[in-house]
Amino acid sequence: MKAGSWATMVRQLAAGGKLGRARGAAAGAEQLSNEQASSGQIGRQAESLKAWLQGISRMDMTWVTDRIAVGGGIWRAENMAAVARAGVTHIIDMQIEFDDTALAEPHGIEVLWNPIDDDFQPKPPAILQRGVDFATEALDQDGTRVFIHCAAGVHRAPMMTLAVLCSMGWAQEAAQELIEKRRPVVDFADVYVRSVERFLDQQVRAGK
């Protein structure tokens, strides 16, 4: 089965709350990853599904700075409670698979659902601008902490985190190194890095 098919299956199972079957799907992804690890996109998508499996029953969150965390999907009320206990006040949810808003509401956490697919296609600057604007407004307030996540915290969330850090004044290379050092599972796919670079170029042209 192709990696894209696994991703679709996991998305459907997660949306339906069928975690047992989802674990089976991710186990298949692990086999796929072992067999196809050298085949670029297929191997990377399978690795994402493995990371998703690891985070489905516990909260997978890595602090990149003292106020910005990056990680995998929340999915369950218990995990959202753990996010709240960590002091998170704002969430940027990059998943197309799941909207956190209802889970976050009881904790008073603000959510930006900014969904994109992990399809290794260029991402429009508007998507990154939306996340950066939300993060900037959140971090301008005292005592706030932002959690940026996707399904596995491997591709989309690190891309968004890179855009946020660079918009805060970090050099791109230094920001990438920081994210990778704090969260080694991160995979900065070239197409996503180029998407961030196009967004940053647009910001420069706009005088931001």
Side-chain angles (χ1 to χ4, degrees):
M1 183 179 291
K2 294 181 180 179
S5 300
W6 283 113
T8 301
M9 180 186 298
V10 171
R11 183 183 307 163
Q12 293 170 344
L13 293 173
K18 300 174 183 177
L19 300 188
R21 286 173 58 197
R23 288 188 178 96
E30 181 171 3
Q31 179 181 355
L32 176 66
S33 177
N34 291 337
E35 294 173 353
Q36 304 287 349
S38 63
S39 63
Q41 179 177 334
I42 292 177
R44 287 196 298 267
Q45 287 190 347
E47 287 296 333
S48 294
L49 294 180
K50 287 169 62 181
W52 175 83
L53 172 62
Q54 293 170 0
I56 197 170
S57 60
R58 59 176 175 79
M59 196 55 243
D60 175 21
M61 184 166 59
T62 303
W63 289 99
V64 174
T65 73
D66 59 347
R67 299 180 68 192
I68 299 173
V70 61
I74 298 172
W75 308 109
R76 305 184 302 138
E78 293 88 344
N79 286 341
M80 184 61 77
V83 170
R85 287 194 298 271
V88 170
T89 57
H90 295 73
I91 291 172
I92 299 176
D93 179 2
M94 302 300 294
Q95 288 179 274
I96 199 170
E97 300 91 339
F98 192 86
D99 180 358
D100 294 332
T101 303
L103 290 179
E105 185 174 353
H107 301 280
I109 297 174
E110 293 186 39
V111 175
L112 171 66
W113 190 32
N114 199 26
I116 56 170
D117 208 348
D118 190 14
D119 54 6
F120 295 91
Q121 297 300 311
K123 302 307 175 190
I127 286 286
L128 298 174
Q129 185 68 63
R130 192 170 179 232
V132 165
D133 289 345
F134 181 85
T136 299
E137 183 176 349
L139 294 170
D140 280 345
Q141 304 171 44
D142 292 335
T144 52
R145 304 182 97 184
V146 178
F147 178 38
I148 304 171
H149 80 87
C150 51
V154 175
H155 297 129
R156 293 167 289 180
M159 175 187 66
M160 187 73 251
T161 305
L162 179 63
V164 168
L165 290 179
C166 290
S167 295
M168 293 170 59
W170 282 74
Q172 182 182 327
E173 183 176 349
Q176 281 187 233
E177 288 179 356
L178 174 67
I179 296 167
E180 290 173 327
K181 179 180 179 180
R182 297 290 173 85
R183 187 172 174 84
V185 72
V186 164
D187 171 31
F188 278 113
D190 289 343
V191 64
Y192 294 161
V193 173
R194 289 195 297 272
S195 295
V196 173
E197 291 171 347
R198 283 193 296 273
F199 161 70
L200 296 173
D201 286 344
Q202 178 175 289
Q203 278 198 322
V204 170
R205 289 197 299 272
K208 294 185 178 181

